[in-house]
Amino acid sequence: MPEPILLTPGPLTTTRRTKEAMLQDWGSWDQDFNALTAGVCARLTDIVGGADSHVCVPLQGSGTFAVEAALGTLVPVDGKVLVPNNGAYCQRVVRILNTLGRSCVVLPFGEDEPADPVRIARALADDPTITHVAQVHCETGTGILNPLPAIAEAVASQGRSLIVDAMSTFGLIPIDAARMPFDAVIAASGKCLEGVPGMGFVIARRVALEEAAGRCHSLALDLHDQWRYMQRTGQWRFTPPTHVLAALHEALDQYREEGGPPARLGRYARNCQALVAGMRALGLRTFLEDRFQAPVIVTFHAPTDPAYCFEELYARVKARGFILYPGKLTRVDTFRVGCIGAIDTRQIHAAVAAVGEALADMGVRHPANASGEAHP
Ligand SMILES: *Cc1c(COP(=O)(O)O)cnc(C)c1O
């Protein structure tokens, strides 16, 4: 069975070179591996221009582990977090805060509407007891891009701290520590950097992290302890994801060779445009307005033709070599297609053709949602 192309927001399609970097074993105590960790952390910090003010703390696990670690370490027990909510990953932040017993205020937005910096500033002005804002940059549940620079400005103007879940934008959409104040930016190995999954990391403001000593509810998720131990010994506290780190190192080399953030953004933007144009030509409609769409993952309305069923579309498209992603919306029937990973418009065109063939084979005749005509 040939390897499928993953059109999902992580794990995603990686290059052969990145996969081959995992063919070597590493000792966790070994000098060479410690140097690999330090080098990767320095490069991750550089991506957001944080070398003077921020530190990178890597953490074993998927991205959510790093989100939970950042919230549990950086938000004090008597802190209060505002969560602008326009989707599933924002709701996950709320769930983490509830689990940790941290107060939280939800500022609701529509799932097709970006978080509004003006409403965020007003909510902060109205409640001086709010200490932090936890903002998801691209809400991967739909693919909507939240206006992070303006939100960061609103949060800073109200004198509060900002924690950013930049999982699906890190390395893609610029974040600049020198111009955008934040206490933490959280991301992971297996998204836009095109590594394999298994490692999260937090770019934390050094002073904020120093102040967090002994605060975390958890030993394994204590970012301050992880950072201090790594500073002292050069090693991870517990068994490191050695192969994941080696793959990320190799992926970062390719990221640089490709041309860094502008090149990656250009490639993903072309993927996204080709995907949206191709699917519209099939009669499918996007959930978001184009101006709010991040070039990360696109949500499409499910066809209303009774012959349509996501599981069958999935199976038929998989048989043609592509892996789709189910929708994550509760009220509207949708499915999602990612445009990130080691793919370009050739794979996107082939994937669109596969979707078109699959829908035709299923007998789906009116792909457009009943509430609107198909875009030409
Ligand atoms: C992928 C992602 C996460 C982390 O999800 P995991 O399944 O734990 O890797 C968190 N937030 C956003 C916005 C994401 O896209």
Side-chain angles (χ1 to χ4, degrees):
M1 168 101 187
E3 241 186 319
I5 301 288
L6 301 180
L7 300 172
T8 61
L12 34 70
T13 301
T14 57
T15 64
R16 172 154 295 278
R17 206 173 130 188
T18 297
K19 287 188 263 278
E20 279 173 358
M22 294 184 286
L23 292 176
Q24 186 187 330
D25 298 320
W26 299 79
S28 61
W29 40 263
D30 188 82
Q31 286 288 351
D32 293 343
F33 182 72
N34 294 349
L36 197 70
T37 300
V40 165
C41 286
R43 283 155 78 175
L44 294 174
T45 312
D46 281 345
I47 288 173
V48 294
D52 296 332
S53 49
H54 289 69
V55 295
C56 172
V57 190
L59 189 74
Q60 300 92 331
S62 85
T64 304
F65 290 64
V67 176
E68 186 158 340
L71 293 170
T73 304
L74 295 171
V75 179
V77 178
D78 58 354
K80 189 172 180 181
V81 185
L82 180 77
V83 185
N85 177 7
N86 59 353
Y89 288 95
C90 305
Q91 275 153 34
R92 187 178 294 176
V93 167
V94 172
R95 220 175 139 198
I96 290 171
L97 290 167
N98 288 337
T99 304
L100 298 180
R102 299 292 195 279
S103 307
C104 123
V105 185
V106 178
L107 186 62
F109 293 92
E111 284 182 308
D112 56 356
E113 172 194 24
D116 176 3
V118 176
R119 280 185 58 200
I120 292 171
R122 201 179 309 137
L124 295 176
D126 286 350
D127 186 349
T129 66
I130 293 172
T131 54
H132 293 71
V133 173
Q135 180 64 55
V136 175
H137 191 187
C138 167
E139 168 49 71
T140 321
T142 55
I144 198 165
L145 185 66
N146 288 310
L148 189 60
I151 291 169
E153 207 174 299
V155 174
S157 73
Q158 293 291 328
R160 319 302 162 88
S161 298
L162 177 65
I163 294 176
V164 184
D165 173 348
M167 208 69 66
S168 60
T169 52
F170 191 92
L172 180 67
I173 300 184
I175 296 176
D176 182 358
R179 295 212 315 249
M180 187 193 295
F182 63 82
D183 272 12
V185 158
I186 311 156
S189 53
K191 300 247 177 165
C192 298
L193 297 174
E194 299 184 1
V196 302
M199 180 193 133
F201 56 89
V202 180
I203 312 292
R205 192 166 60 86
R206 176 190 283 271
V207 175
L209 189 58
E210 277 165 357
E211 285 168 357
R215 186 188 281 160
C216 192
H217 62 291
S218 156
L219 172 69
L221 297 180
D222 187 339
L223 282 186
H224 180 271
D225 199 43
Q226 177 92 327
W227 175 52
R228 279 284 186 243
Y229 185 87
M230 207 167 258
Q231 274 196 318
R232 220 172 40 244
T233 64
Q235 297 170 17
W236 297 57
R237 277 182 309 168
F238 313 124
T239 304
T242 45
H243 296 70
V244 175
L245 193 86
L248 181 58
H249 182 268
E250 196 65 33
L252 284 167
D253 277 351
Q254 294 161 85
Y255 178 65
R256 189 172 49 199
E257 290 160 21
E258 184 180 1
R264 188 134 308 177
L265 184 58
R267 177 160 58 86
Y268 289 180
R270 287 190 296 278
N271 287 350
C272 187
Q273 279 156 16
L275 175 66
V276 169
M279 297 289 265
R280 281 181 181 154
L282 296 178
L284 289 157
R285 290 196 311 128
T286 57
F287 174 72
L288 294 175
E289 287 180 45
D290 290 355
R291 64 194 167 117
F292 300 146
Q293 176 72 58
V296 171
I297 188 164
V298 182
T299 300
F300 293 97
H301 285 283
T304 48
D305 188 314
Y308 171 81
C309 137
F310 177 73
E311 285 71 21
E312 193 173 340
L313 175 67
Y314 178 92
R316 288 176 180 275
V317 172
K318 181 181 172 186
R320 290 170 166 83
F322 300 92
I323 301 292
L324 301 177
Y325 215 53
K328 220 177 171 112
L329 301 178
T330 41
R331 284 189 304 278
V332 205
D333 191 14
T334 57
F335 66 92
R336 290 177 291 167
V337 186
C339 24
I340 64 178
I343 54 171
D344 60 27
T345 49
R346 280 170 303 177
Q347 282 86 8
I348 295 290
H349 290 310
V352 169
V355 170
E357 286 161 21
L359 289 174
D361 289 353
M362 287 163 70
V364 175
R365 260 188 281 275
H366 302 289
N369 184 281
S371 61
E373 290 303 308
H375 293 257

